[in-house]
Amino acid sequence: MAIQYLQEAKAAGLEVGAYFFSQAVSEEEAEEEALFACDIKKRSGVEMSLPLVYDPELIEGTRGRADDISSEQVSANAKAFRKAAAKALGCRTAIYANLYWEKNYFDAETLNDFEIWYAGYEDAPQTPYHFTWWQYTNEGKVPGIDGYTDLNLWLR
């Protein structure tokens, strides 16, 4: 479905990027995830104007395979993902994170070295780090989408 969605978004005139929900437990797995995402992008034939975003998360309500990796490993994985994506596509990458992840999983060097897609559902962003996109709600309503959806601001 990712290939179809990339193509349809581009055909609709939208700025196009993608994110990868990671469960990598090592740099090697993060590289494999990046190559998988790059392969999908290549097969879509879509030129992305937005980055490929690395999104490591815990899996809500269940046990994820990456739940116990260290903060050092999360940062190393992000760097490995970026390196593999840059080599495969020459595309830029970003990190998706909320304040909890910024504080507990990423080191400051990594956060300062990536564009950030910040998720925070407060009245104003609480992060001390720079960010390019702010996901300000997960309860948005958009015509054509049943139920709630995330809404974001792009700060340019």
Side-chain angles (χ1 to χ4, degrees):
M1 295 307 301
I3 292 169
Q4 177 184 336
Y5 293 158
L6 284 166
Q7 292 169 340
E8 290 176 355
K10 191 68 169 186
L14 298 174
E15 300 274 353
V16 178
Y19 77 96
F20 196 93
F21 187 99
S22 176
Q23 283 290 287
V25 297
S26 67
E27 289 104 315
E28 292 78 23
E29 287 185 5
E31 290 170 4
E32 289 173 7
E33 290 177 344
L35 294 176
F36 179 76
C38 290
D39 180 61
I40 289 171
K41 186 267 176 208
K42 284 179 188 174
R43 289 189 292 142
S44 76
V46 171
E47 191 62 39
M48 295 192 318
S49 53
L50 295 171
L52 176 58
V53 180
Y54 184 69
D55 178 17
E57 292 189 39
L58 303 177
I59 298 177
E60 231 175 275
T62 190
R63 184 102 176 107
R65 64 188 300 274
D67 286 358
D68 295 323
I69 64 173
S70 68
S71 59
E72 293 83 7
Q73 189 64 58
V74 171
S75 289
N77 290 355
K79 292 172 187 173
F81 185 92
R82 176 176 55 191
K83 184 177 178 182
K87 185 176 180 184
L89 286 181
C91 71
R92 67 189 223 262
T93 54
I95 290 174
Y96 176 87
N98 60 24
L99 187 60
Y100 180 82
W101 274 79
E102 288 178 343
K103 179 181 177 195
N104 295 297
Y105 285 97
F106 287 108
D107 60 50
E109 176 188 331
T110 302
L111 290 170
N112 287 321
D113 199 32
F114 277 83
E115 285 184 280
I116 297 173
W117 180 3
Y118 173 71
Y121 307 146
E122 310 86 13
D123 290 338
Q126 303 298 307
T127 179
Y129 295 97
H130 69 280
F131 57 95
T132 305
W133 304 272
W134 175 28
Q135 184 176 101
Y136 61 91
T137 186
N138 61 351
E139 297 179 347
K141 298 294 282 177
V142 174
I145 297 177
D146 293 331
Y148 293 121
T149 189
D150 300 335
L151 297 177
N152 301 273
L153 292 174
W154 182 4
L155 308 169
R156 303 197 275 182

